[in-house]
Amino acid sequence: MQPNPDSRQQEVIQLLKQVIEPTLKNDIVSLGMVRNLRIVDDYIYLRFYIGSHQHQLHKEIQSVLSSLSWCKKTYIQLCTIPGVKITLAVSSGKGGVGKSTTAVNIAAALKLQGAKVGLLDADVYGPNIPQMLGIGQADIQVIHTPAGEKFLPLEIQGIKLMSVGLLAEPNRPLAWRGPVLHKIITQFLQDVEWGELDYLLIDLPPGTGDAQITIVQESPICGVILVTTPQLVAISDVRRNIHMFRQVGVPVLGIVENMSYLICSDCGSRTPIFGSGGGEKLAAELQAPLLGQIPIDPRICSGGDTGHPIAVTNSTSGAGEVFVQIATALNATFT
Ligand code: ADP
């Protein structure tokens, strides 16, 4: 009788669920670290997405799968970004909700708390992180390493930065499509010499197109932070986004609601300009935490334009405090 591939797949998944990631205290399947699991004849193939400090889990996988009497060999493709412990994505359902602002400020807040931080601006449609950190056009250096030629990230305000915007001509749209886009993105994920990083934050393009899917599939993202504005129409865009992460198996770490309210400078009252409740509704639906609600603050906008993130310049302001609080929560989860 032919073996049933589905029951073998289930059997393998159950065994893999016995491998627990010690810091996150969850199994490697639920954490989205195992992807592309295929069983062909009596061979198991899988991709294992890990941070630079998690190599010991590879042996544990080999060990749990060795109990399968039918398996002749397990082929594990290790996918990692050299030197990088934790890779997180920042995503949104659509543009203009403050995704890049959130990515920059969380990166800055993590840096202030002592972490080594890198920021990969992969927003091919609007790569404006260099400007938000105060960099104009800059030449990216390429260095020769034993592993081949690598891009050297820029270092600004203590944060290592690589941006697709730095490869483009100023004021010209990035018109990459299909295979070229795929190639550039995979190069960005594999060919940057980050050095040692505690966190690499990837600012994804908004929505769920080719570029997003390539990045999410090809990188060891261990969680995604979703940014939304409070109105209910924004929430339905985020739902589509979530579907993409779920398909790949990347966990949603939490939701950041941006532009939640405006504080009156005279009386301190809060006005919910864009409605209210969207972030809470989404958090309840996803059973993911609402990491923070960021007020509308003109200093966020001017700081973004001039390269001064509010998490650095006004860390005790309402908005600054939310970013500090998110960085603290991330550190509590991952270290
Ligand atoms: P996205 O990355 O989602 O396209 P951005 O982060 O580029 O959005 O933000 C869009 C614009 O809105 C920027 O000019 C930014 O400075 C501004 N902005 C974002 N969040 C706020 C906020 N809470 N208060 C004031 N301005 C904000």
Side-chain angles (χ1 to χ4, degrees):
M1 206 173 73
Q2 280 292 316
N4 177 345
D6 285 346
S7 67
R8 282 190 166 182
Q9 181 104 3
Q10 281 314 315
E11 199 180 354
V12 172
I13 290 173
Q14 287 315 315
L15 285 172
L16 291 171
K17 282 190 166 186
Q18 293 175 8
V19 181
I20 305 294
E21 203 289 329
T23 310
L24 300 172
K25 299 182 181 58
N26 202 348
D27 71 84
I28 56 171
V29 177
S30 306
L31 290 170
M33 296 168 75
V34 178
R35 304 186 212 154
N36 298 56
L37 173 64
R38 285 181 301 126
I39 296 160
V40 182
D41 298 330
D42 297 332
Y43 299 93
I44 301 173
Y45 299 84
L46 60 89
R47 283 196 192 171
F48 189 41
Y49 288 79
I50 50 170
S52 59
H53 59 310
Q54 292 168 318
H55 281 267
Q56 85 286 356
L57 294 170
H58 182 200
K59 280 201 199 100
E60 285 189 47
I61 294 187
Q62 293 282 17
S63 152
V64 290
L65 295 183
S66 67
S67 66
L68 292 167
S69 55
W70 52 264
C71 174
K72 292 203 180 114
K73 190 160 180 175
T74 301
Y75 293 92
I76 301 176
Q77 185 189 350
L78 282 183
C79 301
T80 186
I81 300 179
V84 177
K85 286 188 182 166
I86 293 155
T87 304
L88 303 175
V90 183
S91 182
S92 66
K94 60 176 178 183
V97 300
K99 172 181 55 60
S100 301
T101 303
T102 303
V104 165
N105 280 285
I106 293 178
L110 283 167
K111 155 76 185 58
L112 286 179
Q113 293 185 8
K116 293 188 194 120
V117 185
L119 196 48
L120 177 62
D121 176 12
D123 187 346
V124 282
Y125 309 118
N128 46 21
I129 288 204
Q131 181 176 3
M132 290 182 170
L133 283 173
I135 301 180
Q137 203 57 21
D139 285 333
I140 294 181
Q141 279 186 38
V142 176
I143 53 161
H144 300 276
T145 74
E149 294 199 326
K150 300 268 179 187
F151 295 120
L152 208 55
L154 302 175
E155 191 157 347
I156 177 96
Q157 306 190 29
I159 296 169
K160 290 196 175 167
L161 170 70
M162 179 52 77
S163 167
V164 284
L166 298 172
L167 295 180
E169 286 180 49
N171 307 323
R172 286 271 187 91
L174 298 171
W176 299 322
R177 294 232 153 74
V180 175
L181 183 63
H182 190 96
K183 183 158 184 281
I184 288 178
I185 286 173
T186 37
Q187 240 186 355
F188 253 54
L189 293 171
Q190 287 158 11
D191 297 342
V192 179
E193 185 69 22
W194 291 106
E196 297 292 313
L197 290 184
D198 296 309
Y199 293 97
L200 175 64
L201 264 61
I202 304 184
D203 184 30
L204 290 179
T208 51
D210 280 357
Q212 295 83 336
I213 292 173
T214 304
I215 300 165
V216 176
Q217 275 178 340
E218 302 285 334
S219 54
I221 293 174
C222 46
V224 57
I225 295 169
L226 290 171
V227 183
T228 183
T229 44
Q231 64 269 51
L232 296 177
V233 281
I235 302 299
S236 45
D237 289 320
V238 182
R239 281 202 191 93
R240 275 190 283 279
N241 217 9
I242 291 162
H243 187 66
M244 172 180 80
F245 292 108
R246 292 227 159 125
Q247 273 188 327
V248 182
V250 171
V252 175
L253 291 177
I255 292 137
V256 173
E257 188 186 80
N258 186 27
M259 309 195 199
S260 298
Y261 51 88
L262 182 70
I263 302 175
C264 171
S265 53
D266 292 331
C267 68
S269 66
R270 296 178 172 194
T271 309
I273 305 272
F274 297 117
S276 59
E280 274 164 8
K281 190 165 185 284
L282 199 62
E285 195 179 305
L286 287 176
Q287 297 186 318
L290 182 59
L291 295 171
Q293 291 176 297
I294 304 162
I296 298 169
D297 187 329
R299 290 171 296 182
I300 294 186
C301 195
S302 57
D305 285 348
T306 55
H308 298 293
I310 196 164
V312 178
T313 53
N314 294 86
S315 62
T316 53
S317 63
E321 274 178 353
V322 178
F323 292 119
V324 171
Q325 178 191 315
I326 296 171
T328 308
L330 291 175
N331 276 325
T333 306
F334 290 106
T335 51

